[in-house]
C-alpha cells in the first residue's frame, strides 16, 4: 500500500542568461562555510509511526528502538558488496550481476487457480445474482475469464524483469544525485513481513498507457483494472470482471507478493487528491481480508519526495493522451540528454512508514465513526449571519468519485475503504521529507533577507516539529544546490563584494515557488490554521495594519478561539487538512491551541478569581475525564468546554512573534485569497455553465487579477478547482442535470449581492495582509 509522488525531475536552463548572471551561478558565494547542526546528523527524528488510536498493537509490536540508530543508504547505488562476487571486474559489472541475482518466483497454474476461486465458481454456478446457472460452466465463459485475466496481468518474464531492473538503475543514476532510504525503515518492513518479498506488483491506470505499453508492463509485474469492472452492478460482464480481479488479488495475498497501490493522483493531475482507482484496489484488498482468504495483510504507507517535480501540464482543457511505448522511450532519452553535462542533479527521498495490521484497523476503526453533516449545513447559516453557534459534528466532504468496483461493496464497507484510504494518505503525507528547494522557495516567496541564517532556522523548526528533511551537509552547499535547481525562477545580483541578492522572477516564477513552498504546509498546518483563526478573531477589533503591541492588549477567550478554528477548518478542503478519520474536530482544535502556546505566539492570561490553568484538580478529573475511554473524545462535554469560559490568552510580545505570525498566515494565504477572489467573481461569472467551463472562467479571472495586483501565487488551476468544489459543497453553486451533462448555476440564496459580500468578508477575515 502506498501513496507515491512520482515524476521525472528536470531543471530547465535559462533561455538567454547574461554573462554577468552566468558568472554568478558558476562562481562561489564567497561566504563562510557553516554546517547545519546537530539535527542533520544522528539526532534527526524517526517519523512515520502508525496511528496509536486505530492500531495500538501494531504501534507497539512492529517497531523497535534500535532501528532508529541505523543510517541512510543510496538505494540506486550498487557496489561490489551487494553481490556474491569480488574482484575488479565485478566492480565494473556490479549492476548487471546484481540484476542477475534477483530471485523471481515462478507463477504456476495461475489461470486454473483463478477459475477455481470461490468468487468465480459462485458466479459460474449461479449461486449469486447474475450467474450463468447451476452446474453450467460453458466454454464461452471460460474464454471470457481467460480474456479478462490477460487484461489484468501476465506471468512475469524473468529475463525482462532483470533487464529492466538493470536499465532502470542505470537511468536513475543518470537522473538523480542520490535516492536516500533509511535502512531502519527497510529493516522494519522486512521484519514485519516475516518472509522474503517476491516480485513487486504495481497497480497501474490502464487509461494512462497505450496497449503496447500495457503489454510490456504486465510482463514486468504490472496489474491493470479491466474496463468491465466499472460497469453497473446488474451487468453480468461487470460481475464477472470484478470476480476475476478479486480472485487475482486473493492469489497475490496468499502467495505473499507485495502490491503497490498509488493512492495519490500525480502532481500535474487536476482533480481530487485521493485517487478513485487507488480506492478501488484498496477495496479488493479489504474484501479479501474480510472474507478470510488471508488472515491479515500489512499496509505500509510510502512517500517519495523530490527536489523538483516535472512541469506537468496543468491546463484545465488538457486531456492527457495515453503514454505510448515510443513516447516513453523518447521521454527517457530527453531526460538523459537534459542531464548530459549538468553538474546539478536532483535528490530524492523514499520513506517507508511503520506497517500496520489491516485486520486490526478493520476491527478498531468502526468504533470511531460518528454522525457528519455537509459543509452547507455546517457553515452556510454562519456565513449569512443566521446563527453563531458551530454545530457539534464532523464535516462530510468527499471529492473522490466512487467507481464501479467500490459501489459493489456494502455501504458500510465503502465507508471503511474511504476512511482507510484517507488514513494511509494522511500517514504518507505526514511522513514525507521536506526538501531543500521547498525551504528555499518559501524563504524567497516571503522575502526573507538573510538566506543562510533563515535556512538554518527553518530547518531546525521543521525537525523540532517531528518532521524530517531530505538533505544534509554544509549550509553553503545546500543553498548553492537549491538555487541552482531554481535558477529558471530566480535571478542573482551581486550588490557588494561577497553579498548576493536573490530575486524571484515575476509571473510564473512566483507561481512555481508557491507550489514548492506548499510542501511545508503539513509541517506548520496546525500553527497556520491557528494563526489565521486568531487573525479572524482580531479582524473586527483592531485595524489590520495596527501595531503588534495594540493587538497584544486584547484578551482572547478559549471558546472564541475554538469557534474560529472550527470555522476555518470547515472552510478548508479536506484534501488539504488530511485529518485522520479517527481524530475529531474538537481534539484538533485543542491541538492547534497547544501548538500556538508551544511556539510562543499565545500566552495564558490568568483573570482575577479564576482557577489557575495549571491546577488540574484530581477530583474534577476523576469525575469528568478519568472514566472516558481513550478514544472517546467526540463530544464537546468530554473536553470540558464549560470551564473554557474562564481561560484567556494574549498574543506574545516577544520580538520574533510578529514575523513568525505573518509567516504562518502566509502559508495559507494562496488558498484563502483564491477563495476570496472566487467569491468576488460571483458577480461577473457567466452561469449556468459546466463545472469545467466555470473553472476555466475562474482560472482566467485569477490570472487577470494576478497581473493587476501581482499575486501570482493564486493563479493556480488547482486552487480554482478547489474553490469551485468548496462553493458547491457550501451551497453557493448548485448542480443540475442536463442533456449535455451536469451544469452549475448560482443558488438563489447567493444570487443577492449582499450575501455574496458576506461570503467574501467571511473568507477575508482569515487573510493577513
Amino acid at each position: 500500500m502506498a501513496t507515491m509522488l512520482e515524476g521525472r525531475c528536470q531543471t530547465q536552463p535559462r533561455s538567454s542568461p547574461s554573462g554577468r548572471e552566468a558568472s554568478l551561478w558558476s562562481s562561489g558565494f564567497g561566504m563562510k562555510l557553516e554546517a547545519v547542526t546537530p539535527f542533520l546528523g544522528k539526532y534527526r527524528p524517526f517519523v512515520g509511526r502508525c496511528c496509536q488510536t486505530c492500531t495500538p498493537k501494531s504501534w507497539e509490536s512492529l517497531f523497535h528502538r534500535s532501528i532508529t540508530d541505523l543510517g541512510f543508504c543510496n538505494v540506486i547505488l550498487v557496489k561490489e558488496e551487494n553481490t556474491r562476487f569480488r574482484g575488479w571486474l565485478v566492480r565494473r559489472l556490479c549492476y548487471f550481476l546484481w540484476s542477475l541475482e534477483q530471485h523471481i518466483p515462478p507463477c504456476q497454474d495461475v489461470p486454473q487457480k483463478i477459475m477455481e476461486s470461490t468468487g468465480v465458481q459462485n458466479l459460474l454456478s449461479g449461486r449469486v445474482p447474475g450467474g450463468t446457472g447451476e452446474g453450467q460452466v460453458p466454454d464461452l465463459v471460460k474464454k471470457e475469464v481467460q480474456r479478462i485475466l490477460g487484461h489484468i496481468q501476465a506471468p512475469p518474464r524473468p529475463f525482462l524483469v532483470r533487464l529492466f531492473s538493470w536499465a532502470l538503475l542505470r537511468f536513475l543514476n543518470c537522473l538523480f544525485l542520490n535516492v536516500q532510504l533509511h535502512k531502519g525503515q527497510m529493516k522494519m518492513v522486512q521484519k514485519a513481513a516475516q518472509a522474503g518479498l517476491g516480485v513487486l506488483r504495481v497497480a497501474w491506470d490502464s487509461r494512462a498507457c497505450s496497449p503496447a505499453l500495457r503489454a510490456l508492463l504486465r510482463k514486468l509485474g504490472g496489474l491493470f483494472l479491466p474496463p468491465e469492472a466499472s460497469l453497473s452492478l446488474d451487468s453480468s460482464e461487470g460481475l464477472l470482471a470484478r470476480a476475476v480481479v478479486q480472485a487475482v488479488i486473493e492469489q497475490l495475498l496468499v502467495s505473499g507478493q507485495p502490491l503497490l497501490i498509488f493512492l495519490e493522483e500525480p502532481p500535474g493531475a487536476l482533480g481530487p487528491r485521493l485517487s478513485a482507482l487507488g480506492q478501488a484496489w484498496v477495496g479488493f484488498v479489504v474484501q479479501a481480508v474480510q472474507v478470510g482468504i488471508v488472515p491479515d495483510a500489512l499496509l505500509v504507507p510510502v512517500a517519495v519526495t523530490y527536489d523538483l517535480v516535472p512541469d506537468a501540464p496543468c491546463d484545465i482543457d488538457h486531456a492527457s493522451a495515453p503514454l505510448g511505448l515510443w513516447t516513453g522511450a523518447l521521454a527517457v532519452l530527453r531526460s538523459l540528454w537534459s542531464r548530459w553535462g549538468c553538474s546539478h542533479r536532483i535528490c530524492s527521498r523514499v520513506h517507508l512508514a511503520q506497517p500496520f495490521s489491516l485486520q486490526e484497523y478493520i476491527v478498531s476503526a468502526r468504533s470511531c465513526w460518528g454522525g457528519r453533516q455537509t459543509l452547507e449545513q455546517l457553515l452556510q447559516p454562519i456565513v449569512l449571519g443566521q446563527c453563531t453557534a458551530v454545530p457539534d459534528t464532523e464535516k462530510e466532504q468527499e471529492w473522490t468519485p466512487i467507481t464501479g468496483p467500490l459501489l459493489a461493496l456494502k455501504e458500510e464497507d465503502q465507508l471503511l475503504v474511504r476512511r482507510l484510504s484517507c488514513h494511509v494518505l494522511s500517514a504518507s503525507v505526514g511522513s514525507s521529507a521536506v526538501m531543500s528547494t521547498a525551504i528555499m522557495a518559501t524563504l524567497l516567496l516571503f522575502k526573507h533577507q538573510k538566506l543562510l541564517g533563515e535556512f538554518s532556522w527553518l530547518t531546525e523548526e521543521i525537525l523540532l516539529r517531528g518532521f524530517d528533511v531530505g538533505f544534509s551537509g554544509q549550509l553553503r552547499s545546500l543553498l548553492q544546490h537549491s538555487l541552482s535547481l531554481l535558477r529558471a525562477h530566480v535571478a542573482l545580483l551581486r550588490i557588494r563584494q561577497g553579498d548576493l541578492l536573490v530575486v524571484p522572477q515575476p509571473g510564473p516564477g512566483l507561481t512555481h515557488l508557491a507550489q514548492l513552498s506548499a510542501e511545508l504546509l503539513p509541517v506548520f498546518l496546525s500553527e497556520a490554521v491557528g494563526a489565521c483563526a486568531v487573525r479572524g478573531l482580531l479582524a473586527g477589533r483592531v485595524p489590520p495594519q495596527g501595531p503588534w503591541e495594540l493587538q497584544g492588549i486584547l484578551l482572547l477567550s478559549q471558546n472564541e478561539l475554538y469557534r474560529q478554528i472550527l470555522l476555518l477548518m470547515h472552510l478548508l478542503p479536506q484534501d488539504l487538512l488530511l485529518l485522520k478519520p479517527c481524530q475529531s474536530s474538537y481534539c484538533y482544535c485543542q491541538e492547534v491551541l497547544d501548538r500556538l502556546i508551544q511556539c510562543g505566539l499565545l500566552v495564558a492570561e490568568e483573570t482575577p478569581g479564576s482557577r489557575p490553568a495549571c491546577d488540574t484538580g484530581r477530583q474534577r478529573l476523576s469525575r469528568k475525564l478519568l472514566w472516558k475511554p481513550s478514544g472517546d473524545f467526540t463530544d464537546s462535554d468530554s473536553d470540558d468546554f464549560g470551564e473554557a469560559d474562564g481561560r484567556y490568552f494574549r498574543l506574545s510580545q516577544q520580538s520574533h512573534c510578529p514575523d513568525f505570525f505573518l509567516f504562518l498566515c502566509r502559508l495559507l494565504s494562496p488558498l484563502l485569497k483564491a477563495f476570496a477572489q472566487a467569491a468576488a467573481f460571483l458577480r461577473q461569472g457567466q452561469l449556468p455553465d459546466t463545472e469545467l467551463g466555470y473553472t476555466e472562467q475562474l482560472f482566467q479571472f485569477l490570472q487577470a487579477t494576478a497581473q493587476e495586483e501581482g499575486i501570482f501565487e493564486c493563479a493556480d488551476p488547482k486552487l480554482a478547482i478547489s474553490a469551485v468544489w468548496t462553493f458547491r459543497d457550501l451551497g453557493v453553486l448548485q448542480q443540475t442535470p442536463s442533456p449535455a451533462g451536469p451544469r452549475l448555476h448560482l443558488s438563489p440564496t447567493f444570487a443577492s449581492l449582499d450575501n455574496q459580500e458576506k461570503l467574501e468578508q467571511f473568507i477575508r477575515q482569515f487573510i493577513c495582509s
Side-chain angles (χ1 to χ4, degrees):
M1 299 290 298
T3 171
M4 298 188 67
L5 315 175
E6 187 174 72
R8 294 186 309 276
C9 307
Q10 299 179 0
T11 303
Q12 299 178 353
R14 298 184 62 85
S15 56
S16 58
S18 62
R20 175 178 174 82
E21 188 171 345
S23 64
L24 291 179
W25 286 110
S26 59
S27 63
F29 287 93
M31 296 182 179
K32 183 179 179 181
L33 294 179
E34 184 177 349
V36 184
T37 57
F39 300 99
L40 299 187
K42 60 183 180 180
Y43 299 105
R44 66 196 316 163
F46 187 86
V47 298
R49 299 295 302 273
C50 63
C51 180
Q52 195 173 8
T53 301
C54 299
T55 53
K57 295 181 181 178
S58 300
W59 187 88
E60 183 177 359
S61 62
L62 300 180
F63 177 80
H64 196 272
R65 293 289 180 185
S66 62
I67 66 176
T68 61
D69 298 331
L70 301 178
F72 290 85
C73 65
N74 184 6
V75 294
I76 62 174
L77 180 63
V78 180
K79 297 182 179 180
E80 179 184 4
E81 293 78 11
N82 301 116
T83 67
R84 294 182 295 127
F85 309 99
R86 297 294 182 268
W88 65 270
L89 185 59
V90 175
R91 288 191 288 271
R92 288 158 178 80
L93 300 176
C94 52
Y95 286 89
F96 178 73
L97 294 175
W98 178 87
S99 62
L100 290 180
E101 293 179 355
Q102 300 307 304
H103 175 64
I104 303 174
C107 298
Q108 299 177 351
D109 301 330
V110 173
Q112 185 65 26
K113 292 178 181 178
I114 298 300
M115 186 65 68
E116 295 174 355
S117 64
T118 305
V120 175
Q121 285 297 317
N122 289 340
L123 191 64
L124 294 178
S125 61
R127 288 193 290 269
V128 296
T132 60
E134 183 68 28
Q136 300 178 8
V137 187
D139 294 336
L140 183 61
V141 179
K142 289 184 177 181
K143 292 180 180 179
E144 184 66 14
V145 171
Q146 296 286 350
R147 186 192 64 82
I148 296 174
L149 183 59
H151 185 96
I152 298 173
Q153 67 173 5
R157 303 294 178 86
F159 172 75
L160 283 178
V161 173
R162 293 187 175 99
L163 179 63
F164 182 78
S165 300
W166 171 80
L168 181 62
L169 281 175
R170 303 305 300 180
F171 170 70
L172 293 178
N173 275 276
C174 295
L175 193 63
F176 293 97
L177 183 63
N178 56 64
V179 178
Q180 295 292 328
L181 172 65
H182 198 286
K183 290 185 287 187
Q185 296 172 0
M186 177 58 72
K187 183 178 180 181
M188 178 175 57
V189 173
Q190 291 176 342
K191 184 178 180 180
Q194 296 180 351
L197 300 178
V199 177
L200 177 65
R201 297 303 186 103
V202 182
W204 295 97
D205 186 358
S206 58
R207 299 168 300 178
C209 305
S210 67
L213 184 58
R214 287 200 301 267
L216 175 61
L217 292 177
R218 277 194 291 265
K219 295 175 182 178
L220 295 173
L223 298 178
F224 293 91
L225 196 67
E228 295 88 354
S230 299
L231 295 178
S232 59
L233 301 182
D234 56 354
S235 170
S236 59
E237 294 86 354
L239 288 172
L240 183 59
R242 288 189 287 271
V244 174
V245 176
Q246 184 64 45
V248 170
I249 295 299
E250 292 172 358
Q251 289 299 321
L252 289 178
L253 295 178
V254 169
S255 60
Q257 299 183 63
L259 174 63
L260 178 63
I261 299 175
F262 295 93
L263 280 179
E264 189 172 25
E265 293 288 354
L270 295 176
R273 188 171 188 176
L274 189 62
S275 170
L277 180 63
Q279 278 192 344
W281 286 106
V282 172
F284 288 117
V285 176
V286 170
Q287 194 173 5
V289 175
Q290 284 184 322
V291 299
I293 299 298
V294 289
D296 199 359
L298 289 178
L299 309 185
V300 184
V302 180
V304 183
T305 51
Y306 307 90
D307 279 333
L308 285 180
V309 294
D311 296 328
C314 288
D315 186 7
I316 293 178
D317 294 328
H318 176 78
S320 58
L323 180 64
L325 191 59
W326 293 110
T327 306
L330 290 176
V332 170
L333 292 176
R334 281 196 300 267
S335 300
L336 293 176
W337 180 259
S338 64
R339 292 294 165 187
W340 186 263
C342 180
S343 59
H344 298 287
R345 291 178 293 170
I346 58 177
C347 301
S348 179
R349 173 75 183 276
V350 180
H351 183 89
L352 304 178
Q354 182 182 1
F356 65 92
S357 166
L358 176 57
Q359 183 65 44
E360 183 186 9
Y361 180 86
I362 292 175
V363 173
S364 61
R366 299 184 189 274
S367 61
C368 300
W369 296 355
R372 292 173 179 258
Q373 292 184 355
T374 64
L375 184 62
E376 181 177 357
Q377 296 170 328
L378 289 173
L379 215 54
Q380 189 183 104
I382 299 175
V383 171
L384 300 178
Q386 298 173 355
C387 71
T388 58
V390 184
D392 184 10
T393 185
E394 304 299 318
K395 177 178 67 173
E396 181 67 30
Q397 189 177 54
E398 294 291 343
W399 285 356
T400 304
I402 301 178
T403 57
L406 202 57
L407 285 173
L409 301 180
K410 295 185 296 185
E411 185 176 352
E412 184 181 7
D413 292 335
Q414 293 179 22
L415 182 61
L416 173 66
V417 171
R418 291 203 304 267
R419 297 194 175 179
L420 172 62
S421 303
C422 293
H423 212 294
V424 175
L425 182 59
S426 175
S428 299
V429 173
S431 60
S432 300
V434 179
M435 307 304 287
S436 59
T437 48
I439 298 178
M440 180 58 64
T442 303
L443 297 177
L444 294 175
L445 191 65
F446 299 156
K447 299 179 180 179
H448 286 257
Q449 302 295 327
K450 300 178 180 179
L451 291 180
L452 281 173
E454 297 294 339
F455 191 98
S456 178
W457 162 78
L458 193 51
T459 302
E460 185 173 325
E461 291 292 331
I462 293 171
L463 295 167
L464 288 175
R465 281 164 175 78
F467 285 77
D468 201 1
V469 293
F471 55 86
S472 62
Q474 293 182 331
L475 184 57
R476 176 176 175 268
S477 300
L478 289 173
L479 262 67
Q480 273 189 310
H481 173 75
S482 304
L483 291 175
S484 64
L485 294 178
L486 298 175
R487 62 181 301 176
H489 310 287
V490 299
L492 290 184
L493 302 174
R494 191 184 298 276
I495 55 178
R496 63 175 64 93
Q497 184 65 30
D499 291 335
L500 292 176
L501 178 64
V502 185
V503 181
Q505 298 282 4
L510 288 176
T511 305
H512 185 81
L513 293 179
Q515 293 172 350
L516 283 175
S517 66
E519 296 180 15
L520 265 73
L521 193 53
V523 181
F524 298 95
L525 183 58
S526 299
E527 291 98 323
V529 170
C532 291
V534 172
R535 176 63 260 170
L537 197 57
L538 297 175
R541 304 184 183 182
V542 296
Q545 304 297 337
W548 182 261
E549 292 78 9
L550 179 61
Q551 300 180 14
I553 296 177
L554 298 176
L555 287 178
L556 310 175
S557 72
Q558 183 168 326
N559 272 346
E560 291 175 327
L561 288 170
Y562 279 153
R563 180 180 181 275
Q564 287 298 116
I565 294 172
L566 280 174
L567 292 178
L568 183 56
M569 281 178 57
H570 292 329
L571 178 64
L572 294 176
Q574 188 66 30
D575 279 8
L576 175 71
L577 290 175
L578 286 179
L579 295 181
K580 294 181 180 179
C582 59
Q583 185 178 20
S584 69
S585 298
Y586 283 99
C587 287
Y588 186 74
C589 287
Q590 187 60 50
E591 178 185 336
V592 170
L593 189 58
D594 291 342
R595 290 291 185 91
L596 292 178
I597 297 173
Q598 289 171 5
C599 69
L601 285 178
L602 286 184
V603 179
E605 181 73 15
E606 303 292 348
T607 57
S610 64
R611 191 164 57 91
C614 58
D615 184 11
T616 57
R618 175 75 180 176
Q619 183 177 359
R620 196 173 186 85
L621 283 177
S622 62
R623 179 163 49 93
K624 288 198 171 185
L625 290 180
L626 292 184
W627 63 272
K628 291 283 186 181
S630 60
D632 188 14
F633 289 95
T634 55
D635 298 329
S636 59
D637 59 344
S638 65
D639 285 326
D640 200 10
F641 284 96
E643 191 180 326
D645 294 332
R647 299 175 185 168
Y648 291 87
F649 301 90
R650 294 182 188 271
L651 287 175
S652 175
Q653 297 300 308
Q654 298 182 22
S655 58
H656 73 281
C657 287
D659 291 336
F660 189 55
F661 183 83
L662 185 61
F663 166 78
L664 294 175
C665 290
R666 282 181 172 178
L667 289 175
L668 285 174
S669 63
L671 178 68
L672 293 175
K673 288 180 180 178
F675 281 15
Q677 293 178 16
F681 181 68
L682 294 174
R683 306 182 185 95
Q684 52 183 294
Q686 301 298 321
L687 288 172
D689 197 355
T690 62
E691 184 179 283
L692 187 64
Y694 187 72
T695 304
E696 175 64 28
Q697 290 186 48
L698 177 58
F699 179 54
Q700 293 177 357
F701 176 76
L702 294 178
Q703 287 181 314
T705 306
Q707 294 291 339
E708 296 174 2
E709 302 180 2
I711 313 177
F712 290 95
E713 57 265 30
C714 301
D716 191 336
K718 292 183 180 180
L719 297 181
I721 289 182
S722 295
V724 171
W725 287 353
T726 301
F727 283 10
R728 182 191 60 192
D729 295 343
L730 188 56
V732 179
L733 301 174
Q734 293 182 347
Q735 198 172 44
T736 56
S738 69
R743 296 179 67 85
L744 293 177
H745 64 89
L746 196 61
S747 67
T749 305
F750 287 90
S752 65
L753 292 178
D754 183 43
N755 287 343
Q756 293 177 11
E757 291 177 355
K758 288 180 180 179
L759 174 63
E760 184 177 358
Q761 290 303 318
F762 175 81
I763 298 173
R764 290 195 179 277
Q765 67 174 325
F766 301 109
I767 301 175
C768 187
S769 57

